[in-house]
């Protein structure tokens, strides 16, 4: 089978497009090194004061830890809910499967403002019964995030199940395996990559969620995106640029490690 390689013109165009897309990200690097207290390009002098403020200011540390905690909990909730729903639909094939899937995917198509207002009224009503799960609590934020991320996890798991040979489940059923054994010992091991991907995507979506978080938090549950939004709204803190550079570096390292692992695993 012949191998087609791009010509020099195609490579140059690809590089130019990549630079055009990366320039806004690269512009954050010099901004993060400015000695000024405001968001501006450095004028001759460079400083790491804004990187130091990320670990010297307890607000940033608390926000990062809270976002990690909320992301892990909401990812676990949304992945478990998506897995249970997807397994039920795939194994039992109910008559109204399309309607059920469409109902689960509603948060993906409903405008985020509508979802945020609905979750706001839900959590404020729960606050009257519980001080741990409600408005402006980290558990309430985790529950709201799980509502927003569960549809994405459901899509990934359903895609993984669609690629699974149904005869495997039929064989296990014919050998007398129970529903629990078929789900945990036969089906789930064959879609573990889809489950892990759904959990990671749910965590990332929760980590960066800001629209809903602005409606359901006030002063107690300050996540990292909300703190960044507050910094941009109030005084345009250059520490946000420093944090953005750190997140970009982490993302690049993760992608590089994934690329190396994929190449080593390839035959």
């Amino acid at each position: 089978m012949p191998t087609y390689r791009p010509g020099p013109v195609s490579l140059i165009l690809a590089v130019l497009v990549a630079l055009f897309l990366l320039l806004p990200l690269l512009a954050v690097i010099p901004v993060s090194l400015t000695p000024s207290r405001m968001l501006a390009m450095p004028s001759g002098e460079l400083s790491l004061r804004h990187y130091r403020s990320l670990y010297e200011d307890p607000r940033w540390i608390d926000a990062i830890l809270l976002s990690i905690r909320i992301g892990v909990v909401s990812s676990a909730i949304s992945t478990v809910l998506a897995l249970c729903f997807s397994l039920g639909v795939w194994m039992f094939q109910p008559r109204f499967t399309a309607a059920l899937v469409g109902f689960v995917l509603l948060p993906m198509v409903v405008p985020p403002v509508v979802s945020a207002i609905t979750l706001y009224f839900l959590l404020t009503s729960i606050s009257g019964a519980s001080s741990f799960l409600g408005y402006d609590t980290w558990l309430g934020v985790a529950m709201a995030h799980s509502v927003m991320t569960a549809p994405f996890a459901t899509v990934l798991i359903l895609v993984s199940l669609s690629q699974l040979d149904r005869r495997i489940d039929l064989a296990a059923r014919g050998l007398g395996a129970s529903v629990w054994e078929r789900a945990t010992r036969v089906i789930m091991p064959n879609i573990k990559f889809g489950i892990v991907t759904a959990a990671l995507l749910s965590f990332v979506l929760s980590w960066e969620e800001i629209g809903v978080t602005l409606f359901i938090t006030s002063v107690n549950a300050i996540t990292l995106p909300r703190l960044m939004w507050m910094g941009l709204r109030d005084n345009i803190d250059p520490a946000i640029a420093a944090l953005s550079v750190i997140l970009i570096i982490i993302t690049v390292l993760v992608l590089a490690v994934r690329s190396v692992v994929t190449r080593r695993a390839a035959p």
Side-chain angles (χ1 to χ4, degrees):
M1 185 176 181
T3 301
Y4 297 96
R5 296 183 179 275
V9 177
S10 300
L11 289 176
I12 293 174
L13 291 176
V15 171
L16 291 177
V17 171
L19 290 176
F20 176 77
L21 296 175
L22 290 175
L23 279 178
L25 296 178
L26 298 178
V28 178
I29 298 176
V31 172
S32 67
L33 299 173
T34 180
S36 173
R37 296 180 57 186
M38 303 298 293
L39 199 65
M41 284 289 186
S43 56
E45 183 182 356
L46 301 179
S47 174
L48 295 175
R49 58 177 296 188
H50 303 297
Y51 288 91
R52 290 195 299 268
S53 66
L54 292 178
Y55 64 85
E56 291 176 353
D57 190 345
R59 295 182 305 163
W60 291 106
I61 302 298
D62 294 341
I64 292 173
L65 295 178
L66 180 63
S67 294
I68 293 175
R69 187 196 316 169
I70 291 174
V72 170
V73 173
S74 64
S75 175
I77 294 174
S78 60
T79 304
V80 170
L81 292 177
L83 181 61
C84 293
F85 173 80
S86 302
L87 287 175
V89 168
W90 189 83
M91 294 175 66
F92 299 105
Q93 297 180 314
R95 181 179 302 177
F96 304 104
T97 298
L100 292 174
V101 173
F103 179 78
V104 171
L105 300 184
L106 273 180
M108 296 178 64
V109 297
V110 173
V113 175
V114 177
S115 300
I117 295 175
T118 304
L119 291 170
Y120 167 78
F121 285 110
L122 173 64
L123 293 178
T124 50
S125 61
I126 294 177
S127 298
S130 173
S131 59
F132 299 99
L133 180 64
Y135 176 78
D136 202 20
T137 62
W138 76 269
L139 278 176
V141 177
M143 184 180 70
H145 284 189
S146 64
V147 172
M148 303 301 297
T149 58
F152 297 91
T154 302
V155 170
L156 290 175
I157 296 177
L158 285 176
V159 170
S160 298
L161 286 172
S162 66
Q163 300 174 355
L164 184 63
D165 192 347
R166 191 175 291 275
R167 290 175 295 182
I168 298 176
D169 181 50
L170 295 176
R173 182 179 178 181
L175 293 173
S178 63
V179 174
W180 175 258
E181 290 174 337
R182 288 158 51 198
T184 57
R185 297 186 178 183
V186 178
I187 301 176
M188 289 175 58
N190 286 282
I191 60 168
K192 57 185 178 181
F193 180 77
I195 298 174
V196 173
T197 305
L200 290 176
L201 178 62
S202 300
F203 177 83
V204 172
L205 293 176
S206 174
W207 172 269
E208 66 178 11
E209 170 58 44
I210 182 61
V212 173
T213 307
L214 291 176
F215 279 81
I216 60 177
T217 59
S218 179
V219 295
N220 295 322
I222 304 297
T223 62
L224 182 60
R226 180 175 175 82
L227 185 60
M228 295 175 69
W229 181 83
M230 292 167 57
L232 289 174
R233 185 192 63 174
D234 297 336
N235 58 358
I236 314 184
D237 190 355
I240 298 174
L243 180 62
S244 300
V245 172
I246 294 175
L247 294 176
I248 291 173
I249 293 174
I250 293 175
T251 303
V252 171
L253 290 177
V254 170
L255 292 177
V257 171
R258 179 183 178 276
S259 177
V260 171
V261 172
T262 304
R263 285 188 178 183
R264 292 184 175 179

